[in-house]
Amino acid sequence: MKEPFVIAIDGPAAAGKGTLARRLAAHFGLPHLDTGLLYRAVARRLLDAGKDPSDGAAAEQEARSLRPADWQRPDLRTPDVDRAASIVAAEPRVRAALRDFQREFPAAHGAVMDGRDIGTVIFPDAPVKLFVTAAPAARAERRFRELQGRGIAVRLEAVEAEIEERDRQDATRPVGPLEQAPDAVLIDTTGLDPDQVFSTALEKIRARIAPAA
Ligand code: DC
């Protein structure tokens, strides 16, 4: 069976993956899935139900009953969901439940998928893998501005501490940790604006898809 065309984008929080993924999806006419939203949706449902995000059995149940409406909610990027999603994402049963869904997503039309383990675990054979990162201070600054823009009052130092803690959790969990696949192309977005990130990515993708062209 022919493998679907997948552009896998991984990297830490607030590195610019989401913006890049949406632009690449529009450019190539591919569906886009921000896989972080799946973990966020599981976290949101647990919080709404008054359950403990570290209750693995409850988290698995929520992951298995997720519906598109759950990850299309507007309230998935709040600080409480940031924290709970990071806990939920460390639960192997949740990762297993979401893995099958992620693997089926590109079947019909291919996809651009962004997350932490797309190029390592979900699609280790993806033809294009990007690892998008930036200096922690640059990521904290972006996240800070994004939260401010949405009227959420936070201090920059608190955002920085939170980003560092989430990096640590993402990188050290035993299942699906954040790591660069050996064949992923690295893009450091520190000091780049979204247009520069997009054109850098396009150049690298073209080189990967048609190395001889
Ligand atoms: O990218 P994000 O901040 O929306 O991700 C939310 C949480 O889910 C974060 O703690 C990392 C985790 N995550 C993951 O473990 N695997 C993915 N493929 C995507 C996100």
CSV table of all heavy atoms in Angstrom, one decimal, residues 9-14 17 34-40 76-77 81-90 95 102 114-118 122 143 166 169-170 173 175-178, ligand 1:
chain,number,residue,atom,x,y,z
A,9,ILE,N,6.3,17.7,11.5
A,9,ILE,CA,6.9,18.8,12.2
A,9,ILE,C,6.9,18.6,13.7
A,9,ILE,O,5.9,18.5,14.3
A,9,ILE,CB,6.2,20.1,11.8
A,9,ILE,CG1,6.1,20.3,10.3
A,9,ILE,CG2,7.0,21.3,12.4
A,9,ILE,CD1,5.4,21.6,9.9
A,10,ASP,N,8.1,18.5,14.2
A,10,ASP,CA,8.2,18.3,15.7
A,10,ASP,C,9.1,19.5,16.3
A,10,ASP,O,9.8,20.1,15.6
A,10,ASP,CB,8.9,17.0,16.0
A,10,ASP,CG,8.0,15.8,15.7
A,10,ASP,OD1,6.8,15.8,16.2
A,10,ASP,OD2,8.4,14.9,15.0
A,11,GLY,N,8.9,19.7,17.6
A,11,GLY,CA,9.7,20.7,18.2
A,11,GLY,C,9.1,21.1,19.5
A,11,GLY,O,8.0,20.7,19.8
A,12,PRO,N,9.8,21.9,20.4
A,12,PRO,CA,9.3,22.3,21.7
A,12,PRO,C,8.2,23.3,21.6
A,12,PRO,O,7.9,23.9,20.5
A,12,PRO,CB,10.5,22.8,22.4
A,12,PRO,CG,11.4,23.3,21.2
A,12,PRO,CD,11.1,22.4,20.1
A,13,ALA,N,7.6,23.6,22.7
A,13,ALA,CA,6.5,24.6,22.8
A,13,ALA,C,6.9,26.0,22.3
A,13,ALA,O,8.1,26.4,22.5
A,13,ALA,CB,6.0,24.7,24.2
A,14,ALA,N,6.0,26.6,21.5
A,14,ALA,CA,6.2,28.0,21.1
A,14,ALA,C,7.4,28.3,20.3
A,14,ALA,O,8.0,29.3,20.3
A,14,ALA,CB,6.2,29.0,22.3
A,17,LYS,N,6.1,26.1,15.3
A,17,LYS,CA,5.6,24.9,14.6
A,17,LYS,C,4.2,25.1,14.0
A,17,LYS,O,4.0,24.8,12.8
A,17,LYS,CB,5.5,23.7,15.5
A,17,LYS,CG,6.7,23.1,16.1
A,17,LYS,CD,6.4,21.8,16.8
A,17,LYS,CE,5.3,21.9,17.8
A,17,LYS,NZ,5.6,22.6,19.1
A,34,ASP,N,-2.8,19.7,14.2
A,34,ASP,CA,-2.0,20.1,15.4
A,34,ASP,C,-2.2,19.1,16.4
A,34,ASP,O,-3.3,19.1,17.1
A,34,ASP,CB,-2.4,21.5,15.8
A,34,ASP,CG,-1.8,22.0,17.1
A,34,ASP,OD1,-1.1,21.2,17.8
A,34,ASP,OD2,-2.0,23.1,17.5
A,35,THR,N,-1.3,18.1,16.6
A,35,THR,CA,-1.6,17.0,17.5
A,35,THR,C,-1.6,17.4,19.0
A,35,THR,O,-2.1,16.7,19.8
A,35,THR,CB,-0.6,15.9,17.2
A,35,THR,OG1,0.7,16.3,17.5
A,35,THR,CG2,-0.7,15.4,15.8
A,36,GLY,N,-0.9,18.6,19.3
A,36,GLY,CA,-1.0,19.0,20.7
A,36,GLY,C,-2.4,19.3,21.1
A,36,GLY,O,-2.7,19.1,22.3
A,37,LEU,N,-3.3,19.6,20.2
A,37,LEU,CA,-4.7,19.9,20.5
A,37,LEU,C,-5.4,18.6,21.0
A,37,LEU,O,-6.3,18.7,21.8
A,37,LEU,CB,-5.5,20.5,19.3
A,37,LEU,CG,-5.1,21.9,18.9
A,37,LEU,CD1,-6.0,22.3,17.7
A,37,LEU,CD2,-5.4,22.9,20.0
A,38,LEU,N,-4.9,17.5,20.6
A,38,LEU,CA,-5.5,16.2,21.0
A,38,LEU,C,-5.2,16.0,22.5
A,38,LEU,O,-6.1,15.7,23.3
A,38,LEU,CB,-5.0,15.0,20.2
A,38,LEU,CG,-5.1,15.1,18.7
A,38,LEU,CD1,-4.5,13.9,18.0
A,38,LEU,CD2,-6.6,15.2,18.3
A,39,TYR,N,-4.0,16.2,22.9
A,39,TYR,CA,-3.6,16.1,24.3
A,39,TYR,C,-4.3,17.2,25.1
A,39,TYR,O,-4.7,16.9,26.3
A,39,TYR,CB,-2.1,16.2,24.5
A,39,TYR,CG,-1.4,15.0,23.8
A,39,TYR,CD1,-1.0,15.1,22.5
A,39,TYR,CD2,-1.2,13.8,24.5
A,39,TYR,CE1,-0.4,14.0,21.8
A,39,TYR,CE2,-0.6,12.7,23.8
A,39,TYR,CZ,-0.2,12.8,22.5
A,39,TYR,OH,0.3,11.7,21.9
A,40,ARG,N,-4.4,18.4,24.5
A,40,ARG,CA,-5.0,19.5,25.2
A,40,ARG,C,-6.5,19.1,25.5
A,40,ARG,O,-7.1,19.5,26.5
A,40,ARG,CB,-4.9,20.8,24.5
A,40,ARG,CG,-3.5,21.3,24.5
A,40,ARG,CD,-3.3,22.6,23.6
A,40,ARG,NE,-2.0,23.1,23.8
A,40,ARG,CZ,-1.6,23.9,24.7
A,40,ARG,NH1,-2.5,24.3,25.6
A,40,ARG,NH2,-0.4,24.3,24.8
A,76,LEU,N,-8.6,25.8,24.7
A,76,LEU,CA,-7.6,24.7,24.9
A,76,LEU,C,-6.2,25.3,25.2
A,76,LEU,O,-5.3,24.5,25.4
A,76,LEU,CB,-7.6,23.8,23.7
A,76,LEU,CG,-8.9,23.0,23.4
A,76,LEU,CD1,-8.7,22.1,22.2
A,76,LEU,CD2,-9.3,22.2,24.6
A,77,ARG,N,-6.0,26.6,25.1
A,77,ARG,CA,-4.7,27.2,25.3
A,77,ARG,C,-4.6,28.0,26.5
A,77,ARG,O,-3.9,29.1,26.5
A,77,ARG,CB,-4.3,28.0,24.0
A,77,ARG,CG,-4.2,27.1,22.8
A,77,ARG,CD,-3.4,27.8,21.7
A,77,ARG,NE,-3.5,27.0,20.5
A,77,ARG,CZ,-2.7,25.9,20.2
A,77,ARG,NH1,-1.7,25.6,21.1
A,77,ARG,NH2,-2.8,25.2,19.1
A,81,VAL,N,-4.7,24.3,31.2
A,81,VAL,CA,-4.7,23.2,30.2
A,81,VAL,C,-3.2,22.9,29.8
A,81,VAL,O,-2.8,21.7,29.6
A,81,VAL,CB,-5.6,23.5,28.9
A,81,VAL,CG1,-5.4,22.4,27.9
A,81,VAL,CG2,-7.0,23.6,29.3
A,82,ASP,N,-2.4,23.9,29.7
A,82,ASP,CA,-0.9,23.7,29.4
A,82,ASP,C,-0.4,22.7,30.4
A,82,ASP,O,0.3,21.7,30.0
A,82,ASP,CB,-0.1,25.0,29.6
A,82,ASP,CG,-0.3,26.0,28.5
A,82,ASP,OD1,-0.9,25.7,27.5
A,82,ASP,OD2,0.2,27.1,28.7
A,83,ARG,N,-0.6,22.9,31.7
A,83,ARG,CA,-0.1,22.1,32.7
A,83,ARG,C,-0.7,20.7,32.7
A,83,ARG,O,0.0,19.7,32.7
A,83,ARG,CB,-0.3,22.7,34.1
A,83,ARG,CG,0.6,23.8,34.5
A,83,ARG,CD,0.5,24.2,35.9
A,83,ARG,NE,-0.8,24.9,36.1
A,83,ARG,CZ,-1.0,26.2,35.9
A,83,ARG,NH1,0.0,26.9,35.5
A,83,ARG,NH2,-2.2,26.7,36.1
A,84,ALA,N,-2.0,20.6,32.6
A,84,ALA,CA,-2.7,19.3,32.6
A,84,ALA,C,-2.3,18.5,31.3
A,84,ALA,O,-2.1,17.3,31.4
A,84,ALA,CB,-4.2,19.5,32.7
A,85,ALA,N,-2.2,19.1,30.2
A,85,ALA,CA,-1.9,18.4,28.9
A,85,ALA,C,-0.5,17.8,29.0
A,85,ALA,O,-0.2,16.7,28.5
A,85,ALA,CB,-1.9,19.4,27.7
A,86,SER,N,0.4,18.5,29.7
A,86,SER,CA,1.8,17.9,29.8
A,86,SER,C,1.8,16.7,30.6
A,86,SER,O,2.5,15.7,30.4
A,86,SER,CB,2.7,19.0,30.4
A,86,SER,OG,4.0,18.8,30.2
A,87,ILE,N,0.9,16.6,31.6
A,87,ILE,CA,0.8,15.4,32.5
A,87,ILE,C,0.2,14.3,31.7
A,87,ILE,O,0.6,13.2,31.7
A,87,ILE,CB,0.0,15.8,33.8
A,87,ILE,CG1,0.7,16.8,34.6
A,87,ILE,CG2,-0.3,14.5,34.6
A,87,ILE,CD1,-0.1,17.4,35.7
A,88,VAL,N,-0.9,14.6,31.0
A,88,VAL,CA,-1.7,13.6,30.2
A,88,VAL,C,-0.8,13.0,29.2
A,88,VAL,O,-0.8,11.8,28.9
A,88,VAL,CB,-2.9,14.4,29.6
A,88,VAL,CG1,-3.4,13.7,28.4
A,88,VAL,CG2,-4.0,14.5,30.6
A,89,ALA,N,0.1,13.9,28.6
A,89,ALA,CA,0.9,13.4,27.5
A,89,ALA,C,2.0,12.4,27.9
A,89,ALA,O,2.6,11.7,27.1
A,89,ALA,CB,1.6,14.6,26.8
A,90,ALA,N,2.2,12.4,29.2
A,90,ALA,CA,3.2,11.4,29.8
A,90,ALA,C,2.6,10.0,30.0
A,90,ALA,O,3.3,9.1,30.4
A,90,ALA,CB,3.9,12.0,31.0
A,95,ARG,N,-1.1,8.0,25.0
A,95,ARG,CA,-0.4,8.1,23.8
A,95,ARG,C,-0.8,7.0,22.8
A,95,ARG,O,-0.9,7.2,21.6
A,95,ARG,CB,1.2,8.1,24.1
A,95,ARG,CG,1.7,9.2,25.0
A,95,ARG,CD,3.1,9.4,24.9
A,95,ARG,NE,3.4,10.1,23.6
A,95,ARG,CZ,3.4,11.5,23.5
A,95,ARG,NH1,3.0,12.2,24.5
A,95,ARG,NH2,3.6,12.0,22.3
A,102,GLN,N,-3.9,9.4,15.0
A,102,GLN,CA,-3.0,10.2,14.3
A,102,GLN,C,-2.5,9.4,13.0
A,102,GLN,O,-2.3,10.0,12.0
A,102,GLN,CB,-1.8,10.5,15.1
A,102,GLN,CG,-2.2,11.5,16.3
A,102,GLN,CD,-1.0,11.7,17.2
A,102,GLN,OE1,-0.1,12.5,16.9
A,102,GLN,NE2,-0.9,11.0,18.3
A,114,ASP,N,1.9,18.4,13.2
A,114,ASP,CA,2.9,19.0,14.1
A,114,ASP,C,2.7,18.5,15.5
A,114,ASP,O,1.5,18.3,15.9
A,114,ASP,CB,3.0,20.5,14.0
A,114,ASP,CG,1.8,21.2,14.5
A,114,ASP,OD1,0.8,21.3,13.8
A,114,ASP,OD2,1.9,21.8,15.6
A,115,GLY,N,3.8,18.3,16.2
A,115,GLY,CA,3.7,17.7,17.5
A,115,GLY,C,5.1,17.6,18.1
A,115,GLY,O,6.0,18.4,18.0
A,116,ARG,N,5.2,16.4,18.9
A,116,ARG,CA,6.5,16.2,19.5
A,116,ARG,C,7.2,14.9,19.0
A,116,ARG,O,8.4,14.7,19.1
A,116,ARG,CB,6.3,16.0,21.0
A,116,ARG,CG,5.7,17.2,21.7
A,116,ARG,CD,6.7,18.4,21.7
A,116,ARG,NE,6.2,19.5,22.6
A,116,ARG,CZ,5.2,20.3,22.3
A,116,ARG,NH1,4.5,20.1,21.2
A,116,ARG,NH2,4.8,21.2,23.1
A,117,ASP,N,6.3,13.9,18.5
A,117,ASP,CA,6.8,12.6,18.2
A,117,ASP,C,6.3,12.2,16.8
A,117,ASP,O,6.2,11.0,16.6
A,117,ASP,CB,6.4,11.6,19.2
A,117,ASP,CG,4.9,11.4,19.3
A,117,ASP,OD1,4.2,12.3,18.8
A,117,ASP,OD2,4.4,10.5,19.9
A,118,ILE,N,6.0,13.1,15.9
A,118,ILE,CA,5.4,12.7,14.6
A,118,ILE,C,6.5,12.0,13.8
A,118,ILE,O,6.2,11.0,13.2
A,118,ILE,CB,4.8,14.0,13.9
A,118,ILE,CG1,3.9,14.8,14.8
A,118,ILE,CG2,4.1,13.5,12.6
A,118,ILE,CD1,2.7,14.0,15.3
A,122,ILE,N,5.1,8.4,15.3
A,122,ILE,CA,3.8,8.3,14.6
A,122,ILE,C,4.1,8.0,13.1
A,122,ILE,O,3.6,7.0,12.5
A,122,ILE,CB,3.0,9.6,14.7
A,122,ILE,CG1,2.8,10.0,16.2
A,122,ILE,CG2,1.6,9.4,14.0
A,122,ILE,CD1,2.0,9.0,17.0
A,143,ARG,N,5.3,33.2,23.5
A,143,ARG,CA,4.2,32.7,24.3
A,143,ARG,C,3.6,33.8,25.1
A,143,ARG,O,2.4,33.9,25.2
A,143,ARG,CB,4.7,31.5,25.1
A,143,ARG,CG,3.6,30.9,25.9
A,143,ARG,CD,2.8,29.8,25.1
A,143,ARG,NE,1.9,29.1,26.0
A,143,ARG,CZ,0.6,29.1,25.7
A,143,ARG,NH1,0.1,29.6,24.6
A,143,ARG,NH2,-0.2,28.5,26.6
A,166,ARG,N,8.0,22.6,31.0
A,166,ARG,CA,7.3,21.7,30.0
A,166,ARG,C,8.4,21.1,29.1
A,166,ARG,O,8.2,20.0,28.7
A,166,ARG,CB,6.3,22.6,29.2
A,166,ARG,CG,5.0,22.8,30.0
A,166,ARG,CD,4.1,23.7,29.2
A,166,ARG,NE,3.7,23.1,28.0
A,166,ARG,CZ,3.2,23.7,26.9
A,166,ARG,NH1,3.2,25.0,27.0
A,166,ARG,NH2,2.9,23.1,25.9
A,169,GLN,N,9.6,18.1,31.0
A,169,GLN,CA,8.7,17.0,31.0
A,169,GLN,C,8.6,16.4,29.6
A,169,GLN,O,8.5,15.2,29.5
A,169,GLN,CB,7.3,17.5,31.4
A,169,GLN,CG,7.2,17.9,32.9
A,169,GLN,CD,5.8,18.3,33.3
A,169,GLN,OE1,4.9,18.2,32.5
A,169,GLN,NE2,5.7,18.7,34.5
A,170,ASP,N,8.5,17.2,28.5
A,170,ASP,CA,8.4,16.7,27.2
A,170,ASP,C,9.6,15.8,26.8
A,170,ASP,O,9.5,14.8,26.1
A,170,ASP,CB,8.3,17.8,26.2
A,170,ASP,CG,6.9,18.4,26.2
A,170,ASP,OD1,6.0,17.8,26.8
A,170,ASP,OD2,6.7,19.5,25.6
A,173,ARG,N,10.0,12.2,29.3
A,173,ARG,CA,9.0,11.2,29.5
A,173,ARG,C,9.5,9.9,28.8
A,173,ARG,O,10.1,10.0,27.7
A,173,ARG,CB,7.6,11.6,29.1
A,173,ARG,CG,7.5,11.9,27.6
A,173,ARG,CD,6.0,12.0,27.2
A,173,ARG,NE,6.1,12.6,25.9
A,173,ARG,CZ,5.8,13.8,25.6
A,173,ARG,NH1,5.4,14.7,26.5
A,173,ARG,NH2,6.0,14.3,24.3
A,175,VAL,N,7.8,7.6,27.3
A,175,VAL,CA,7.1,7.2,26.0
A,175,VAL,C,6.9,8.5,25.2
A,175,VAL,O,6.4,9.5,25.6
A,175,VAL,CB,5.7,6.6,26.3
A,175,VAL,CG1,5.1,6.1,25.0
A,175,VAL,CG2,5.9,5.5,27.3
A,176,GLY,N,7.4,8.4,23.9
A,176,GLY,CA,7.2,9.5,23.0
A,176,GLY,C,7.8,10.8,23.4
A,176,GLY,O,7.2,11.9,23.3
A,177,PRO,N,9.1,10.8,23.9
A,177,PRO,CA,9.7,12.0,24.4
A,177,PRO,C,10.0,12.9,23.1
A,177,PRO,O,10.1,12.4,22.0
A,177,PRO,CB,11.0,11.6,25.0
A,177,PRO,CG,11.3,10.3,24.3
A,177,PRO,CD,10.0,9.6,24.0
A,178,LEU,N,10.2,14.2,23.4
A,178,LEU,CA,10.6,15.1,22.3
A,178,LEU,C,12.0,14.9,22.0
A,178,LEU,O,12.9,15.0,22.8
A,178,LEU,CB,10.4,16.6,22.8
A,178,LEU,CG,10.9,17.6,21.8
A,178,LEU,CD1,10.2,17.6,20.5
A,178,LEU,CD2,10.9,19.0,22.4
B,1,DC,O1,2.2,21.7,21.3
B,1,DC,P1,1.3,21.9,22.5
B,1,DC,O2,1.9,22.8,23.5
B,1,DC,O3,-0.1,22.3,22.1
B,1,DC,O4,1.2,20.5,23.2
B,1,DC,C1,0.4,20.3,24.3
B,1,DC,C2,1.0,19.2,25.2
B,1,DC,O5,1.0,17.9,24.5
B,1,DC,C3,2.5,19.4,25.5
B,1,DC,O6,2.8,19.1,26.8
B,1,DC,C4,3.3,18.4,24.6
B,1,DC,C5,2.2,17.3,24.4
B,1,DC,N1,2.3,16.8,23.0
B,1,DC,C6,2.9,15.5,22.9
B,1,DC,O7,3.3,14.9,23.9
B,1,DC,N2,2.9,14.9,21.7
B,1,DC,C7,2.5,15.5,20.6
B,1,DC,N3,2.6,14.9,19.4
B,1,DC,C8,1.9,16.8,20.7
B,1,DC,C9,1.9,17.4,21.9
